[in-house]
Amino acid sequence: KNDATSSDGLHVITRNGLSGTMDSVRSGLACGSDTAHLNLLGFDPREYYRGRGSFETIGSGLIMKAGDIAFKCNFATMAHDSEGATAPSAGSENFFSSPTSTPLVVNRRADREFTREGPILCEALNGLVLTHDLNGNPFKLAIGNPDTKTSPSAALRNSQSSGNGEAISYEILVRYATEHRCGVVLRGPYLSDAITGTDPLVNNKSLIWCTPVAKLPLPQQVADLWFSYQSKAGLPITEEAKELFIKKDRVLWAEYNEALLTSQVVNAASAAMTRVLMHHDINLKERLPAGKSLANVVLLRGAAKLSDKMPSFTLRHGMRPIAVAPTAIIKGLAITAGFSLIDPVEGATGGYDSKLVNKSIAVEEFFADQQRTFGELFKDAFGEDGGRAQQIISRIRASKEDGHHTGSNTVKEVGGSVNRNRQTAVVEMGRFDDDEDKGGSAVRQHSGSPRRNVAGGRPFAAEEELINISAIARLASFVEKDLVDFVFLHVKGTDDAGHDKDLPKRVAMARKAGQEVLQHLWDRLPVGSTIAVTADHSTPVTLGDHSTESVPFSVAKKVQSSVATSANHDGALYFSEASCELYGSLGRFHGEQMLTILKRAQIGRAS
């Protein structure tokens, strides 16, 4: 983020395009990567965010089911006694049994270099089964309000009065993600994500005792609600009003009781995983003798159920997306939003050692393959040589951005479509009629004028040329279902350096990203490609955490001329907060506007 310390590659988009600064979610908000990415991709976090746990676990490869809760987790180091000892000792297996006896977390990240040990430890934890809480009691779901004597609705609750349900069990599923991270899923009945986690979020703080965040309907609150019905101008309390109150009371207690049970399960799960880790050979025979931090606790945060109402990115924006994201949380978010993945990419670890250039090569090769496939299908359908595939693809994308056309409409614009009912084909260069009088011959020509060029190319050779209907159908299907318009490439190492307060690594990662990602893609992607560069949040090395500052944003469309002109460049020279804010023409905007700016840049209307 220092103009003087970054290579030219970091600034290539800025120097060929338009710039500004962006608040990922809202100005003054220090947001997380999950909420920031949701907003950047056009999904309001206030509506679609349930917690980051589901993103982490889905991205790590775990399959969630309805009713599961998931957590984003760290392998961490905690002390087992007041002296700060991290190795197990006599009696240390009872390291916590109440909110007042939780141990100290001395290091939230046991080790960033954890790609060998992480999968082994995850395998040891995966499949643990829980049947009892930390006090040795079987897990049971309380029903109704356990304090019925003090609730004015007690007489109306009848069979819903306090009691206990059947004994139940829970399974722990664990999958390695990246570096010190893993995904954890709890599976079983009556689970709620209205709970805290166990992660204190900073070093040298006590492990958090998981508790409900679901609203507890206290007896006084219940009484206030009940008596409010009696204050309605002296009207009698109707049976309908009574039933409404009873239903509300039951719902509140049901939500709270599920959250209470879930918190007991989470605390038991945390203890069970620690017992396994304390005595694992990786800790006792490898890390302890070597003087390394022990990975003796799994910190759980971001409890979340599977989102059931988030629409796909394609449905929301009319573009078909793909992502290159080695970190589990971003990968899982992309999967949830309907992205396909270029995965795996060799050497793309998400850490400082990540081979960023391999991500760029993967994107380059993907689009080359897509262009080649389109050209072959186009040749089969229309007899063209397919050499103008990129030109036609660019026209398709431009028309979709400009007019919100569907994939099938874009095929009509460049050559043809299939009447599935009558198995007839209509070949038109300028437009396509969808009226009902297409019957008759196998091929019907556009009447009234000679054929026009396809996307600026030559006319078809023969006026009565027969068209391969099945080939057109394959082309139409490819454009509608497989033609990718949007690629998201994520780089993690710069953020890691900010959290680690390591300025040299931060500068090195910025330079690396500039040369191996931005400059590589700018040099190799075809003319007509639009590239944007930004950050999901700021992570200053002086703070070591996310902060409230806006981030720089630049977007450029690659044109034939290699020289930037006033029409496509606004004067900003460096991808930095200062340069993009002082000289950028886009001003300061919120993250949900980013895709609109990107679309307008694609059709030449970004400024």
Side-chain angles (χ1 to χ4, degrees):
K1 297 202 173 186
N2 185 316
D3 298 349
T5 60
S6 297
S7 64
D8 287 346
L10 186 63
H11 312 302
V12 65
I13 308 302
T14 307
R15 293 173 180 176
N16 287 277
L18 307 177
S19 299
T21 56
M22 179 180 71
D23 295 294
S24 302
V25 179
R26 291 289 181 270
S27 57
L29 177 65
C31 56
S33 295
D34 44 8
T35 52
H37 277 87
L38 277 175
N39 207 47
L40 296 181
L41 296 176
F43 301 98
D44 188 339
R46 293 169 296 184
E47 181 177 0
Y48 297 109
Y49 183 70
R50 293 192 63 121
R52 65 194 308 165
S54 59
F55 299 144
E56 184 81 18
T57 54
I58 292 171
S60 67
L62 282 172
I63 298 175
M64 290 186 66
K65 296 181 179 180
D68 291 350
I69 58 168
F71 300 85
K72 173 182 170 65
C73 304
N74 288 6
F75 283 105
T77 305
M78 71 177 181
H80 288 287
D81 55 40
S82 59
E83 303 300 321
T86 59
S89 58
S92 64
E93 289 196 5
N94 297 319
F95 60 95
F96 69 90
S97 58
S98 72
T100 59
S101 63
T102 54
L104 195 71
V105 177
V106 295
N107 190 349
R108 292 183 60 250
R109 305 177 183 93
D111 197 336
R112 286 200 185 276
E113 302 296 328
F114 213 59
T115 54
R116 185 188 67 83
E117 299 96 326
I120 297 172
L121 293 180
C122 286
E123 183 64 28
L125 299 176
N126 187 51
L128 293 175
V129 175
L130 307 171
T131 57
H132 292 73
D133 65 21
L134 290 176
N135 294 319
N137 300 316
F139 291 120
K140 291 185 178 181
L141 176 70
I143 299 176
N145 179 0
D147 191 16
T148 56
K149 292 181 180 179
T150 61
S151 171
S153 65
L156 299 174
R157 201 173 279 108
N158 298 322
S159 63
Q160 292 296 321
S161 61
S162 62
N164 286 320
E166 74 279 10
I168 42 187
S169 63
Y170 295 89
E171 184 180 11
I172 305 174
L173 305 175
V174 185
R175 183 69 63 88
Y176 180 67
T178 184
E179 296 182 320
H180 53 277
R181 303 179 184 91
C182 63
V184 170
V185 166
L186 292 181
R187 178 164 294 164
Y190 311 122
L191 291 173
S192 167
D193 56 8
I195 56 171
T196 68
T198 64
D199 188 348
L201 301 181
V202 293
N203 292 337
N204 298 312
K205 293 288 185 181
S206 294
L207 190 74
I208 299 297
W209 182 265
C210 182
T211 57
V213 297
K215 183 178 179 181
L216 172 62
L218 297 174
Q220 185 58 49
Q221 294 172 321
V222 174
D224 290 344
L225 181 63
W226 172 253
F227 289 114
S228 69
Y229 287 107
Q230 301 182 35
S231 63
K232 294 184 177 179
L235 295 175
I237 301 176
T238 65
E239 291 300 317
E240 182 181 4
K242 290 180 182 179
E243 185 61 26
L244 178 64
F245 168 72
I246 294 170
K247 287 181 178 179
K248 178 65 174 177
D249 190 39
R250 289 175 181 169
V251 167
L252 288 174
W253 277 108
E255 291 175 350
Y256 178 78
N257 286 333
E258 288 185 354
L260 180 62
L261 172 63
T262 304
S263 65
Q264 295 167 354
V265 175
V266 170
N267 289 325
S270 180
M273 289 190 289
T274 288
R275 292 189 184 99
V276 172
L277 294 174
M278 284 169 57
H279 300 288
H280 199 282
D281 285 351
I282 281 181
N283 279 316
L284 294 183
K285 296 183 179 180
E286 296 182 21
R287 300 188 69 83
L288 184 62
K292 295 182 177 181
S293 296
L294 300 187
N296 57 11
V297 67
V298 174
L299 303 180
L300 302 105
R301 60 184 169 125
K305 287 192 171 185
L306 195 62
S307 177
D308 57 359
K309 65 175 184 177
M310 189 165 152
S312 71
F313 183 89
T314 299
L315 183 63
R316 173 149 292 209
H317 300 293
M319 296 186 290
R320 189 162 299 282
I322 200 162
V324 185
T327 54
I329 187 168
I330 304 303
K331 186 186 299 183
L333 190 153
I335 293 171
T336 304
F339 280 63
S340 299
L341 299 176
I342 301 178
D343 185 65
V345 175
E346 183 180 358
T349 65
Y352 297 132
D353 63 340
S354 187
K355 298 186 183 303
L356 302 185
V357 69
N358 287 0
K359 299 183 184 182
S360 303
I361 292 172
V363 172
E364 177 190 358
E365 291 178 346
F366 175 85
F367 280 121
D369 289 343
Q370 177 172 270
Q371 180 176 331
R372 184 162 48 251
T373 300
F374 182 91
E376 292 170 354
L377 291 172
F378 192 83
K379 179 180 179 181
D380 290 344
F382 299 113
E384 289 274 323
D385 61 9
R388 293 181 298 102
Q390 180 56 45
Q391 180 185 2
I392 297 170
I393 290 174
S394 296
R395 175 176 168 177
I396 288 173
R397 289 186 178 132
S399 87
K400 289 174 72 175
E401 303 302 338
D402 197 16
H404 306 289
H405 290 68
T406 65
S408 57
N409 282 337
T410 59
V411 174
K412 298 169 188 177
E413 291 176 8
V414 299
S417 182
V418 177
N419 181 329
R420 300 181 187 274
N421 293 331
R422 295 188 174 89
Q423 289 294 292
T424 62
V426 179
V427 181
E428 297 180 37
M429 300 305 100
R431 65 185 184 84
F432 181 81
D433 288 328
D434 260 333
D435 41 24
E436 292 296 321
D437 63 347
K438 298 174 185 171
S441 61
V443 175
R444 179 182 177 88
Q445 305 300 332
H446 177 55
S447 61
S449 62
R451 297 185 190 200
R452 286 167 281 175
N453 293 352
V454 180
R458 63 174 178 79
F460 282 106
E463 190 68 22
E464 298 299 326
E465 179 179 10
L466 290 176
I467 304 301
N468 186 323
I469 294 176
S470 62
I472 295 177
R474 289 194 297 271
L475 176 62
S477 177
F478 177 80
V479 171
E480 187 164 358
K481 298 179 180 179
D482 300 313
L483 188 66
V484 170
D485 312 280
F486 181 86
V487 61
F488 169 64
L489 191 155
H490 181 249
V491 174
K492 173 65 176 169
T494 49
D495 180 59
D496 284 349
H499 285 292
D500 292 343
K501 297 185 177 181
D502 193 326
L503 181 60
K505 284 185 177 178
R506 180 64 165 267
V507 173
M509 284 303 302
R511 287 175 170 167
K512 186 177 179 181
Q515 288 303 120
E516 295 187 13
V517 178
L518 297 178
Q519 190 70 59
H520 183 103
L521 293 176
W522 184 255
D523 290 343
R524 290 166 174 81
L525 288 183
V527 169
S529 302
T530 298
I531 303 175
V533 55
T534 190
D536 57 336
H537 53 72
S538 52
T539 315
V541 294
T542 53
L543 181 64
D545 206 348
H546 301 181
S547 63
T548 61
E549 290 84 11
S550 60
V551 296
F553 174 89
S554 297
V555 59
K557 183 175 182 178
K558 190 171 180 180
V559 295
Q560 292 285 0
S561 173
S562 61
V563 180
T565 66
S566 59
N568 59 16
H569 181 236
D570 52 19
L573 295 177
Y574 301 101
F575 180 69
S576 69
E577 292 89 339
S579 183
C580 290
E581 182 173 355
L582 290 173
Y583 302 104
S585 62
L586 298 178
R588 184 169 177 172
F589 58 92
H590 287 163
E592 67 268 21
Q593 298 171 275
M594 184 192 74
L595 280 173
T596 299
I597 293 172
L598 188 58
K599 290 179 181 180
R600 291 177 65 84
Q602 176 68 21
I603 60 176
R605 301 178 187 173
S607 57

